[in-house]
């Protein structure tokens, strides 16, 4: 059975722990110059319908470093843009490729693509979720804090796709997560409800950014207007003003708080230049880990060479 990653709820705690361990191992191997190329002759398709720097380049580099070939497919240059049904595209691409990473608007479209594909499909961001981002972010938390258990994570800003994936991660891993979002910009109620019902995480929503920041070990923010919301930028700038992650907010957190941002950042909007470039910021290491985590994800989904040990995620396929 093929396995997809469409949301973090597709994974168990054991899957995520396996990915975290393997990503750390792959990072070490790369730093030591060990070549690891199990994917000779394998191809990864990347259908991107929205802009990307980090996700696209880390997926392409990951596939090349693993010995395979990435094929970037700009959605507007394919027949998808001329209304070929998603289910037809899925069945045809499955004949050519070994895995498909997709960045698009609609989670439903991604799910239909996955349903009709016989190869693994990875969510590389939709309007609703950004699961691979949060997997690599948890890797960064582990590196900086040594664990994720008992770490207080404060999300400050929009209740958006990245926030939704943090909520799912909290539900699966039992994280302590507090989200400070303005009224009318809370995370999706259904996603929140489902996550809270799982009972594992400590998930709270407030409208007070200082309350969220109090004693936080991790402060995380993201753009106030996501891709597709450019028309709301002016209004959002006004609504979110009090939610800027700046030194005033950081002062309320624990003394060795780390500040995270999935990037791209808008300086002096959701984050001040001083904090982004300051001593608590880990955003560049965070961006690097997207590469290592992507390799672990691809290995788990496409599989390693026969005879090599599999991690728990692959074992469960
Ligand atoms: N963090 C992230 O997904 O960045 P890109 O939009 O550049 O891929
Ligand atoms: N929330 C942002 C994340 C970008 C990586 C967006 O969807 O545009």
């Amino acid at each position: 059975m093929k396995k997809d990653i469409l949301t973090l709820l597709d994974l168990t705690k054991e899957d995520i722990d396996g990915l975290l361990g393997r990503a750390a191992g792959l990072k070490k191997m790369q730093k030591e110059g060990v070549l690891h190329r199990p994917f000779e002759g394998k191809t990864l398709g990347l259908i991107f319908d929205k802009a990307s720097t980090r996700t696209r380049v880390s997926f392409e580099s990951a596939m090349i470093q693993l010995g395979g070939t990435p094929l970037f497919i700009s959605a507007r240059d394919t027949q998808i843009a001329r209304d070929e049904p998603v289910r037809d595209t899925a069945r045809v691409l499955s004949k050519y490729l070994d895995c498909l990473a997709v960045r698009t608007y609609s989670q439903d479209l991604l799910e239909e693509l996955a349903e009709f594909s016989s190869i693994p499909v990875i969510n590389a961001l939709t309007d609703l979720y950004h699961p691979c981002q949060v997997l690599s972010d948890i890797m960064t938390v582990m590196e900086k804090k040594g664990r994720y258990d008992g770490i207080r994570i404060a999300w400050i800003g929009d209740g958006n796709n990245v926030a939704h994936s943090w909520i799912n991660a909290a539900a699966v891993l039992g994280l302590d997560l507090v989200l400070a979002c303005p009224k009318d910009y809370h995370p999706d109620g259904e996603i929140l409800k489902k996550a809270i019902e799982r009972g594992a995480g400590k998930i709270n929503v407030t409208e007070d950014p200082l309350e969220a920041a109090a004693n936080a070990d991790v402060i995380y923010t993201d753009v106030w207007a996501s891709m597709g919301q450019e028309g709301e930028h002016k209004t959002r700038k006004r609504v979110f003003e009090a939610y800027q992650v700046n030194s005033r907010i950081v002062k309320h957190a624990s003394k060795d708080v780390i500040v995270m941002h999935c990037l791209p950042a808008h300086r002096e909007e959701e984050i001040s230049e001083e904090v982004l470039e300051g001593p608590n910021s880990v955003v560049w290491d965070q961006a690097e880990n997207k590469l290592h985590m992507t390799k672990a994800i691809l290995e788990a989904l496409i599989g390693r060479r026969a005879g090599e040990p599999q991690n728990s995620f692959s074992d469960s396929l």
Side-chain angles (χ1 to χ4, degrees), residues 218-255:
V218 177
I219 291 179
Y220 199 119
T221 191
D222 183 15
V223 290
W224 289 339
S226 286
M227 289 180 275
Q229 297 170 335
E230 288 80 3
E232 299 172 34
H233 189 210
K234 230 170 116 190
T235 314
R236 283 173 172 261
K237 258 178 90 169
R238 209 176 43 245
V239 174
F240 283 85
E241 209 180 350
Y243 293 78
Q244 183 188 81
V245 172
N246 51 31
S247 51
R248 190 175 75 96
I249 297 264
V250 170
K251 266 191 209 118
H252 276 72
S254 98
K255 160 169 104 341

Side-chain angles (χ1 to χ4, degrees), residues 175-224:
L175 303 178
D176 179 356
L177 175 68
V178 54
L179 302 107
C181 313
K183 182 170 167 293
D184 300 332
Y185 294 88
H186 283 206
D188 179 86
E190 272 306 303
I191 292 172
L192 202 55
K193 186 165 159 259
K194 228 164 116 185
I196 291 171
E197 275 169 8
R198 278 175 79 125
K202 202 175 138 210
I203 308 169
N204 288 296
V205 181
T206 170
E207 284 169 17
D208 180 354
L210 291 180
E211 182 192 327
N215 302 318
D217 302 301
V218 177
I219 291 179
Y220 199 119
T221 191
D222 183 15
V223 290
W224 289 339

Side-chain angles (χ1 to χ4, degrees), residues 103 125 130 160-162 222-223 226-227 262-264:
R103 171 168 287 200
L125 183 147
H130 198 0
N160 65 13
N161 45 6
V162 182
D222 183 15
V223 290
S226 286
M227 289 180 275
C262 55
L263 305 177

Side-chain angles (χ1 to χ4, degrees), residues 5 8 11 15-24 27 54-56 58-59 62 103 122-125 130-145 147-148 153 162 165-166 169 173 175 218 220 258-263 282-298:
I5 300 183
L8 287 181
L11 304 179
D15 292 336
I16 296 180
D17 287 340
L19 288 171
L20 290 167
R22 184 60 186 162
K27 181 170 183 175
R54 281 146 288 269
T55 308
R56 174 182 173 177
S58 60
F59 268 83
R103 171 168 287 200
I122 304 173
N123 182 348
L125 183 147
H130 198 0
C132 300
Q133 178 67 45
V134 171
L135 287 173
S136 59
D137 293 340
I138 297 167
M139 176 182 178
T140 306
V141 171
M142 293 282 290
E143 280 181 356
K144 304 293 176 189
K145 298 286 174 192
R147 63 190 206 285
Y148 56 70
I153 301 161
V162 182
S165 285
W166 271 107
L173 297 177
L175 303 178
V218 177
Y220 199 119
I258 57 170
V259 176
M260 303 183 74
H261 190 311
C262 55
L263 305 177
V282 299
V283 299
W284 314 118
D285 292 340
Q286 182 186 353
E288 175 184 342
N289 284 336
K290 285 175 74 81
L291 171 69
H292 309 298
M293 178 51 76
T294 300
K295 284 187 183 172
I297 291 168
L298 292 174

